Every structure is written in structure tokens, then in C-alpha cells.
Amino acid sequence: LVVAECDASWPGEKGARDRTTRPGVSLAAVFCLTSTGHARAAGGSDKAQAPSGAREGELAAQQETTRAKGLRVIVAERPQLRLLAASVIVRQGAEADPQDRAGTASMAGDLLTKGTTTMSAPAIANAIESLGGSIDSGAGWDQSAASLVVMSNQAETALKILADVVLHPAFK
């Protein structure tokens, strides 16, 4: 923790001789003092810790199926985690934007969670937050996605909201 106090009286200011301290300038001094490019590790030591040994890890086995209309579903279960992380990914992104409409995929991706034909953006946010989860959407260069994370015991309700976001966006 760096605490700094500096003289913030201005030349010619009334009371300049009493060396009044201004909090805004003190804050600026903290930034100046901490941005010198020098850093020390916590505890006064500047030596790096020895690397830890390799840890055994195991990826969850994936099960993949393709639905009748071509939707690929990939499931990787880890029963020890009581979370559901679900994403709907479309293999199309900004690279498919028409030349005269750059940003279309990005805008559409961002608008998915901003309301549906049945739920407003605040209703979506409140519903997911009441489940203890989060929801997000967007688009990159080669894909667009809508994702959510909730406790697994809230999966049914959360997946209905994700389906509504993907299938019925209001684009407002």
C-alpha cells in the first residue's frame, strides 16, 4: 500500500504559505509513484517462487450428437461441479458482414440479450441473476454466440431463457 501526501498549494493562491494538501493531487502522486516501472514482490522479496510440479489433470469425456436439423450438441459432464455452462455457437461472424454493412454481426450478437419478443433486457437480466447466473452474447470474426452459466439445479429455467434469446431476439 502506497500512501502519499504532497503539497498542493498553487502559487499565488490565498493561503499558499500554509501548504494546504489537496486529495486529488495526493492521488495523482500515488499514480506517479507507482508507475515508475519498478515492482517488488509481496513480502519484500524480489525472488520468484520455484515452479510447482506437474499436476495430474483429466478433461471430461465429450459426447457429441447431431440433431435432426443439423444442430451439433456437445456435452462434457463433470458431475463434481454443480454448474451448467452452455453456449449456442454459430460458425458465422464478422467475416460474413456485407461490405457496405460492416459491424452487422457484432451488433446482432450484442443485441441478442437485449430483449426478445417475450422478455425485455431487464427481465432477462433479472431472471438469470435470480438463478444466480450470468448470460452473455456477442460475435467475433468467425463465430457468434450466446452463453450462460448457472448452478446445475437451475438448468431447466436457464436453458429456456437461452433458447428464447437465440430463437426470438427483438433486435431493439
Side-chain angles (χ1 to χ4, degrees):
L1 176 65
V2 176
V3 178
E5 189 172 301
C6 63
D7 176 9
S9 58
W10 304 107
E13 182 178 47
K14 185 176 180 180
R17 291 188 180 165
D18 65 6
R19 321 270 301 159
T20 307
T21 302
R22 296 186 188 279
V25 177
S26 296
L27 184 58
V30 171
F31 287 125
C32 291
L33 291 173
T34 59
S35 65
T36 60
H38 301 289
R40 290 188 185 223
S45 172
D46 57 358
K47 294 182 182 178
Q49 294 182 354
S52 62
R55 293 189 289 175
E56 292 296 320
E58 193 174 303
L59 294 176
Q62 295 180 357
Q63 302 166 1
E64 184 175 338
T65 59
T66 302
R67 307 292 296 198
K69 293 186 178 182
L71 177 68
R72 282 179 51 204
V73 178
I74 302 170
V75 177
E77 290 186 75
R78 292 191 281 177
Q80 70 276 18
L81 295 178
R82 298 184 313 221
L83 288 175
L84 166 71
S87 295
V88 176
I89 301 171
V90 177
R91 291 189 203 174
Q92 202 82 53
E95 92 282 357
D97 284 351
Q99 189 172 6
D100 62 336
R101 292 197 173 130
T104 303
S106 179
M107 181 179 67
D110 289 343
L111 287 173
L112 287 176
T113 54
K114 303 299 187 249
T116 70
T117 56
T118 60
M119 297 178 79
S120 66
I124 293 169
N126 289 335
I128 292 295
E129 287 176 12
S130 73
L131 301 174
S134 63
I135 191 166
D136 191 28
S137 65
W141 179 250
D142 60 353
Q143 71 177 16
S144 301
S147 306
L148 66 82
V149 177
V150 293
M151 297 297 292
S152 56
N153 63 348
Q154 304 294 336
E156 186 175 344
T157 304
L159 288 172
K160 286 180 182 176
I161 295 169
L162 182 61
D164 190 32
V165 162
V166 172
L167 296 173
H168 308 112
F171 293 118
K172 290 184 181 180

